[in-house]
Amino acid sequence: MKLSLGPILYFWDRDTVLDFYARAADAPVDIVYLGETVCSKRRALRAEDWLGIAERLEAAGKEVVLSTLTLIEAESELGAMRRLCENGRFTVEANDVGAVNLLAGGAGFVAGPHLNVYNAGTLDMLAQAGARRWVLPVELGREELAALQAARPAGMETEVFAFGRLPLAFAARCFTARAHNVSKDDCGFCCADYADGMLLSTQEGKPFLILNGIQTQSAETCNLVAELPEMQRLGVDVARISPQATGTFEIAEIFRAVLDDALDSNTGRARLAAYAPHQSCNGYWYGRPGMDWINP
Amino acid sequence: MELVCPAGSLPALKAAVDHGADAVYIGFRDGTNARNFPGLNFDRDEARSGIEYARRAGRKVFLALNTYPAPAQWDRWCAAVDQAAGLGVDALILADPGLMHYCAQTHPRQRLHLSVQGSATNAEAIAFYARQFGVQRVVLPRVLSLQQVRAIIQRVGVEVEVFGFGSLCVMVEGRCQLSSYVTGASPNMSGVCSPAYAVRWEETPAQRRSRLNGVLIDAYRPGEPAGYPTLCKGRFEVGGHTYYAIEEPTSLNVLDILPQLQQAGVAAIKVEGRQRSPAYVAHVTRTLRAALDASARDPAGYAPRPEWIAALDKVAEGACHTLGAYHRPWQ
């Protein structure tokens, strides 16, 4: 089973991003997803910067995939997506059906976690359009996955979001800007001050969600390390780790050790707790509310 | 512009037809649609009666089958497509690409609309659905500005329907898993958001509290009006402040921009609220009918009348309204 690094979901500055991917070149991951998937205003890196990172990672032996933005509204966003889809060199992860439209019939693409793939009919349709890997939507669990794996089109790889704060929702409104009492057009890039997003708690002080610009995430960290053996039995090809400000490469080491049988999954799970500042969750995998924690 | 009104029951459908809806949209009484609420929606006979009633008045009936079937549900969802096609609905409103494929193959003459749950927010996505499945109308998510709506209409070859009144989803429809994160049931999979069975109210001398599967959504002082705990419309703490961190309870209302929507080439205005009463449907339909007629007669001289605004605010969530994403500064 392969490990992937999902796209960075937060707004980090250019040097931080470059350092992060310099480290990723030596990390025990097989696939690296690159690019901005949340907000088109975040442009700390230019297209050439991303391509430079992609080339360096490829030279280090990684499979590189360029991820598209998820919510595409403006003409400028469509243009950026079109250029990404036509890059001619790297595989693209489509996070919007608009990207599927541009990629259909081409060299093959990844159907990202933000396409709504809930059944074999949709998976089959994407396979015909040229998808060669798909990512399980975060709200689906092992039961749906098992049925989808049984009906999986030939040559299609399956990836599961296995570690990180869950990307749960997208909106037109920027909630980080709202928290600063400014509009999205006048945001001052305030999300850059929150390398792991901005915590939203209930009035009882319970950490609940993370505001990350127009994206809302879970405050709890999804941790499916103990479920890796079950994923392997179900024929999952790739487990995704979602980057966070600290610990991403330590997390990857633990996942790799569990996959290599160098570490038992319970110990791995216990060690990963250190990288989940607001508790862990795995409920979706078991067909429960996503925020639940089920002891396997 | 067509006025498309909601009906969660036969009396509501009749109210919509009687008060001037051009089309009414309904759903079957199960999880195949995004308003899967207890006591709501239509069985086959009621749907047939409703279609007959609307036809006699020269109006249309659309049927929403806009949840995403999981593998275990697939056969039942396909059967619902067959049933709707058999009833002769004027359009089927679908979100799931797999189901659209099934419908296009099995019922090639059935008119298809892309549900708002299909999350098509740009011309390329719309082009995909039109080309793959012959979709003839798309319902746009409530996240686009007026300018963006205009740009899309200029670029696509299908009809565009937009939301005109009702509760406001602040998230992109079809791309929100907040409800399943908390309760296990989501709009995509179960046709519900923040379902009533997960709601618990607590009364203390100092506060009335609403919880969703144990998570505190809001707390009200004595006498303060309390709203349904839709989880994105609660008050939470961010950076030391407690406020409506995501969205305040309010209704979308496009009365102010009807001529602009008309001029942009919008084909239909949709009213949200299949879960609301026949009286609500009558009230909103009558008001919007008057406004649409006024706007069509004299777009340049159009101005929303105070009594229309008051009438709609009376039934609005939070008793107030917004232009939402149509008005850029809201974003």
Side-chain angles (χ1 to χ4, degrees):
Chain A
M1 199 171 171
K2 291 181 273 193
L3 283 180
S4 73
L5 268 188
I8 297 169
L9 302 179
Y10 311 101
F11 189 35
W12 296 351
D13 65 58
R14 188 170 182 276
D15 288 345
T16 304
V17 172
L18 291 172
D19 290 349
F20 181 83
Y21 287 117
R23 279 193 75 183
D26 301 321
V29 298
D30 307 285
I31 305 163
V32 183
Y33 291 86
L34 297 177
E36 177 58 46
T37 61
V38 177
C39 178
S40 61
K41 291 182 70 179
R42 297 173 174 176
R43 289 184 214 131
L45 279 80
R46 293 137 49 94
E48 306 86 85
D49 294 324
W50 286 116
L51 288 173
I53 294 170
E55 279 163 14
R56 288 194 290 281
L57 286 168
E58 196 178 56
K62 310 299 183 194
E63 178 193 331
V64 174
V65 181
L66 306 179
S67 297
T68 74
L69 204 62
T70 303
L71 174 59
I72 294 161
E73 303 170 291
E75 285 295 320
S76 57
E77 292 162 351
L78 267 175
M81 179 177 77
R82 201 167 286 126
R83 286 191 293 281
L84 194 75
C85 292
E86 291 166 357
N87 82 83
R89 172 147 181 210
F90 296 101
T91 305
V92 173
E93 176 183 67
N95 283 313
D96 181 81
V97 172
V100 175
N101 194 47
L102 293 169
L103 294 162
F109 64 93
V110 178
H114 305 297
L115 298 182
N116 285 327
V117 185
Y118 285 89
N119 52 64
T122 299
L123 195 56
D124 203 43
M125 191 273 296
L126 286 168
Q128 282 173 31
R132 57 176 181 75
R133 183 185 298 145
W134 71 293
V135 187
L136 184 75
V138 298
E139 72 171 349
L140 291 185
R142 60 179 176 178
E143 195 184 312
E144 293 87 7
L145 177 66
L148 281 159
Q149 290 296 82
R152 178 159 54 152
M156 177 76 89
E157 287 190 332
T158 301
E159 179 165 345
V160 173
F161 188 102
F163 193 92
R165 287 178 283 268
L166 295 163
L168 293 172
F170 291 84
R173 175 178 271 182
C174 175
F175 303 112
T176 312
R178 181 171 169 84
H180 289 81
N181 265 319
V182 293
S183 74
K184 187 164 74 175
D185 286 342
D186 195 24
C187 70
F189 299 101
C190 49
C191 60
D193 295 335
Y194 306 93
D196 280 316
M198 210 177 177
L199 180 66
L200 175 153
S201 302
T202 70
Q203 291 185 47
E204 293 172 313
K206 177 187 153 64
F208 180 31
L209 299 170
I210 295 289
L211 304 178
N212 176 36
I214 66 159
Q215 183 186 63
T216 305
Q217 305 177 335
S218 63
E220 292 179 350
T221 300
C222 169
N223 179 357
L224 297 182
V225 75
E227 287 73 16
L228 285 174
E230 192 175 13
M231 282 185 211
Q232 283 175 311
R233 281 197 298 278
L234 288 169
V236 171
D237 303 278
V238 185
R240 175 176 294 203
I241 295 164
S242 190
Q244 50 189 51
T246 53
T248 304
F249 300 104
E250 289 80 358
I251 294 160
E253 296 282 356
I254 293 169
F255 266 78
R256 175 51 65 196
V258 170
L259 283 174
D260 291 347
D261 286 327
L263 187 70
D264 78 87
S265 59
N266 284 329
T267 311
R269 193 161 41 125
R271 286 195 192 160
L272 285 170
Y275 304 106
H278 308 299
Q279 313 261 315
S280 302
C281 63
N282 60 6
Y284 277 136
W285 181 256
Y286 295 97
R288 308 264 311 158
M291 66 179 186
D292 284 2
W293 176 255
I294 309 293
N295 278 311
Chain B
M1 284 186 295
E2 218 173 58
L3 178 59
V4 182
C5 294
S9 66
L10 199 50
L13 180 146
K14 291 177 177 173
V17 168
D18 294 349
H19 290 88
D22 298 300
V24 185
Y25 67 104
I26 65 173
F28 287 133
R29 189 171 295 145
D30 54 29
T32 59
N33 70 89
R35 289 290 182 279
N36 178 22
F37 298 171
L40 208 66
N41 295 322
F42 291 70
D43 64 21
R44 188 208 302 246
D45 290 340
E46 288 161 343
R48 185 174 289 124
S49 308
I51 292 167
E52 279 167 16
Y53 190 87
R55 289 270 159 76
R56 276 200 298 275
R59 317 299 167 78
K60 297 179 205 161
V61 174
F62 305 153
L63 190 127
L65 237 151
N66 55 350
T67 46
Y68 291 83
Q73 300 166 321
W74 177 257
D75 290 344
R76 275 198 294 134
W77 264 241
C78 289
V81 167
D82 296 340
Q83 189 173 101
L87 281 164
V89 294
D90 294 286
L92 253 177
I93 309 171
L94 301 182
D96 182 67
L99 214 54
M100 272 183 257
H101 180 72
Y102 172 80
C103 187
Q105 297 290 310
T106 317
H107 308 285
R109 295 159 69 122
Q110 175 64 53
R111 182 181 165 94
L112 287 184
H113 291 183
L114 180 69
S115 167
V116 69
Q117 293 296 121
S119 291
T121 55
N122 60 73
E124 290 292 345
I126 294 167
F128 180 82
Y129 290 108
R131 193 185 69 226
Q132 288 276 327
F133 315 114
V135 162
Q136 288 175 276
R137 179 184 291 187
V138 295
V139 185
L140 295 181
R142 284 163 277 188
V143 297
L144 298 164
S145 68
L146 181 57
Q147 190 189 343
Q148 288 164 343
V149 171
R150 209 178 274 135
I152 283 177
I153 292 171
Q154 282 165 6
R155 291 204 34 203
V156 299
V158 299
E159 294 173 8
V160 167
E161 179 173 314
V162 302
F163 274 88
F165 184 77
S167 289
L168 183 64
C169 263
V170 67
M171 302 302 181
V172 189
E173 295 90 334
R175 281 182 164 164
C176 180
Q177 274 84 53
L178 291 176
S179 180
S180 64
Y181 179 67
V182 175
T183 71
S186 69
N188 279 3
M189 296 190 71
S190 310
V192 293
C193 172
S194 311
Y197 65 77
V199 172
R200 202 170 81 237
W201 290 95
E202 290 171 356
E203 300 279 351
T204 70
Q207 276 186 331
R208 167 181 293 177
R209 296 172 158 192
S210 58
R211 292 185 188 275
L212 195 66
N213 196 17
V215 176
L216 183 64
I217 302 299
D218 213 338
Y220 303 91
R221 296 182 309 277
E224 192 183 3
Y228 186 85
T230 305
L231 71 88
C232 61
K233 294 177 180 176
R235 278 174 290 194
F236 301 102
E237 192 255 291
V238 180
H241 300 283
T242 298
Y243 64 107
Y244 291 108
I246 300 174
E247 169 67 339
E248 47 281 277
T250 179
S251 271
L252 177 72
N253 184 337
V254 299
L255 275 184
D256 285 340
I257 57 167
L258 279 181
Q260 288 97 310
L261 291 172
Q262 188 182 315
Q263 197 176 27
V266 168
I269 298 280
K270 176 167 226 150
V271 175
E272 184 275 347
R274 282 189 285 131
Q275 73 281 15
R276 307 289 294 258
S277 68
Y280 167 91
V281 172
H283 192 83
V284 175
T285 304
R286 187 192 316 124
T287 307
L288 280 173
R289 179 79 270 160
L292 276 169
D293 290 347
S295 169
R297 262 196 316 271
D298 178 18
Y302 171 89
R305 290 162 62 163
E307 62 265 32
W308 299 338
I309 297 168
L312 292 181
D313 276 353
K314 207 168 80 180
V315 295
E317 184 180 9
C320 59
H321 69 267
T322 171
L323 275 171
Y326 295 119
H327 183 54
R328 182 80 195 179
W330 175 91
Q331 301 189 19

